Amino acid sequence: YFSSDTETSSFNRETQGSFTGIGVVFEGPIEGGRILFPMSGSPAEKAGVCVGDLITAVNGELLEGKTESEARALFTGEVGSTVTLELTALDKTERLAEVIRESVLDPTVRHPHLIDEERKIGYLALTSFSRETGAEFERTMTALLELGMEGLIIDLRGNPGGVLTAAVEIAEYFITEGVITKTRGRGESVVYEKVNEGGAPAPSMPLTLLVDGGSASASEVLAGALQDHRTAVLIGSPTYGKARVQSVHHFEDAKAIVKVTSSYYTTPSGRDLDRSPERPWGIQPDLELEVDAQTAALIHRHIRRYDPPKSALEALFAWEDASGTSLLPSDPVDPQLEAALALLRGEQPKGS
């Protein structure tokens, strides 16, 4: 049940895969106003907002002294409406920028790249499943395959789930036929989510999935399907164990959203993953490798950060040199990712 404007806005953003705003990533807290970089193709980038700009006021209202929610509210509004930003650049010059709010994609596919260029091993993280995730994933796979990708790591750690159909769409990318998941409501017959016939052939390549206790719901649908079909090797720690399909009901008069459990799902082989005191729950990885809580937190934070567009890198590096600070955090120590890389390289993973 969501009733506050902040909760409903956040939920809608997660499920729709987009938000209305100006499209910037902040260097620190949003109320601090310092922009790390504008997102590629965003309204802010189109209006000339730059790396390192400090937003001092929005439509004449000072950011100083605002709470996070108050500051965030200043940037939201109707699509097509204009917001005036008072900016101070890194060189201390001041200017105004008129930004037209648009619907901005909030990417759920993050950090796609060849993590091992020599062996052509690709990597991408899925932070959640929105209505846009399937299309995002397809575009990303096309780009990686054009780079010559011959193996892939999909990172589902910390992914709480989301739109079930998005997970099914991604599973269909790798599974050529058969069942992806089974769902059943109270007193209802089983519904089989099967691969659509006539789809493009699945790419033939080694595939690994990284999972942990933060991988839940739609993440477990994808992981369970790929594991049951022996399409991917799962590495990490057991998943959360949330096998509930929830329907969403909007109550506009009360400005509330209610999520109702409408059915439960199992993996293609019929494994029940939902939490129960009577049996183990969740998906057990093929290669179990635990990390401590602090390491896991650093990994999750790294996965969820946004990548700067290539056009912003030169300005970011110059800012780092001038300030003597690191603006783009280095990759954390990640034994689970290293194990996945070792496996795809044909080596013995450490800790196995």
Side-chain angles (χ1 to χ4, degrees), residues 131-311:
R131 291 189 175 94
E132 300 292 334
T133 301
E136 282 185 69
F137 184 82
E138 186 171 356
R139 290 194 298 269
T140 300
M141 288 296 294
T142 298
L144 289 173
L145 288 169
E146 288 176 352
L147 292 175
M149 178 177 65
E150 297 177 358
L152 177 62
I153 299 169
I154 298 178
D155 200 336
L156 293 174
R157 292 174 296 179
N159 183 327
V163 178
L164 178 63
T165 53
V168 172
E169 288 173 6
I170 294 174
E172 285 183 322
Y173 200 93
F174 300 101
I175 299 171
T176 55
E177 61 181 1
V179 174
I180 293 173
T181 187
K182 303 174 185 178
T183 59
R184 183 171 188 171
R186 183 174 296 174
E188 299 176 356
S189 58
V190 176
V191 176
Y192 297 88
E193 292 283 355
K194 296 183 178 181
V195 174
N196 289 324
E197 295 183 2
S204 178
M205 68 174 65
L207 177 65
T208 61
L209 262 62
L210 295 175
V211 295
D212 65 8
S215 308
S217 193
S219 289
E220 294 171 295
V221 168
L222 176 58
L226 295 178
Q227 189 180 54
D228 276 7
H229 282 272
R230 298 184 179 181
T231 305
V233 176
L234 272 58
I235 298 174
S237 52
T239 61
Y240 182 83
K242 183 183 179 184
R244 305 167 196 174
V245 179
Q246 295 179 308
S247 56
V248 178
H249 302 272
H250 294 260
F251 296 89
E252 298 297 338
D253 293 342
K255 294 182 179 180
I257 296 174
V258 176
K259 296 170 70 174
V260 179
T261 298
S262 54
S263 57
Y264 291 82
Y265 66 80
T266 67
T267 69
S269 64
R271 286 184 291 163
D272 183 356
L273 310 175
D274 207 43
R275 288 184 163 235
S276 169
E278 300 174 356
R279 53 172 170 73
W281 60 74
I283 294 175
Q284 307 303 308
D286 302 299
L287 172 58
E288 187 166 347
L289 182 60
E290 296 278 357
V291 296
D292 60 75
Q294 183 178 7
T295 299
L298 291 173
I299 290 170
H300 288 175
R301 190 181 310 158
H302 173 74
I303 289 171
R304 300 198 68 83
R305 70 173 176 84
Y306 294 91
D307 286 325
K310 291 182 180 179
S311 58

Side-chain angles (χ1 to χ4, degrees), residues 1-13:
Y1 173 74
F2 304 100
S3 59
S4 72
D5 289 342
T6 300
E7 287 178 322
T8 54
S9 176
S10 177
F11 177 77
N12 285 330
R13 177 170 174 167

Side-chain angles (χ1 to χ4, degrees), residues 24-242:
V24 295
V25 174
F26 288 92
E27 187 266 333
I30 185 174
E31 61 271 25
R34 180 71 73 183
I35 293 171
L36 186 60
F37 56 84
M39 299 171 75
S40 180
S42 66
E45 185 183 60
K46 295 173 186 176
V49 175
C50 300
V51 167
D53 279 344
L54 176 66
I55 302 175
T56 56
V58 181
N59 288 335
E61 286 195 56
L62 295 177
L63 273 187
E64 186 177 2
K66 294 281 195 260
T67 64
E68 179 184 352
S69 59
E70 290 171 340
R72 196 173 296 279
L74 294 176
F75 296 101
T76 60
E78 296 294 325
V79 171
S81 61
T82 300
V83 57
T84 301
L85 307 180
E86 296 180 29
L87 303 171
T88 302
L90 286 170
D91 63 5
K92 306 302 181 184
T93 58
E94 299 178 354
R95 70 189 193 282
L96 296 179
E98 301 284 332
V99 185
I100 300 174
R101 297 181 178 98
E102 298 177 12
S103 178
V104 179
L105 175 70
D106 189 14
T108 54
V109 180
R110 299 190 188 172
H111 319 304
H113 66 291
L114 289 182
I115 194 169
D116 185 329
E117 294 190 3
E118 181 182 351
R119 294 174 174 82
K120 301 298 183 184
I121 299 172
Y123 169 92
L124 63 86
L126 296 173
T127 57
S128 63
F129 293 90
S130 75
R131 291 189 175 94
E132 300 292 334
T133 301
E136 282 185 69
F137 184 82
E138 186 171 356
R139 290 194 298 269
T140 300
M141 288 296 294
T142 298
L144 289 173
L145 288 169
E146 288 176 352
L147 292 175
M149 178 177 65
E150 297 177 358
L152 177 62
I153 299 169
I154 298 178
D155 200 336
L156 293 174
R157 292 174 296 179
N159 183 327
V163 178
L164 178 63
T165 53
V168 172
E169 288 173 6
I170 294 174
E172 285 183 322
Y173 200 93
F174 300 101
I175 299 171
T176 55
E177 61 181 1
V179 174
I180 293 173
T181 187
K182 303 174 185 178
T183 59
R184 183 171 188 171
R186 183 174 296 174
E188 299 176 356
S189 58
V190 176
V191 176
Y192 297 88
E193 292 283 355
K194 296 183 178 181
V195 174
N196 289 324
E197 295 183 2
S204 178
M205 68 174 65
L207 177 65
T208 61
L209 262 62
L210 295 175
V211 295
D212 65 8
S215 308
S217 193
S219 289
E220 294 171 295
V221 168
L222 176 58
L226 295 178
Q227 189 180 54
D228 276 7
H229 282 272
R230 298 184 179 181
T231 305
V233 176
L234 272 58
I235 298 174
S237 52
T239 61
Y240 182 83
K242 183 183 179 184

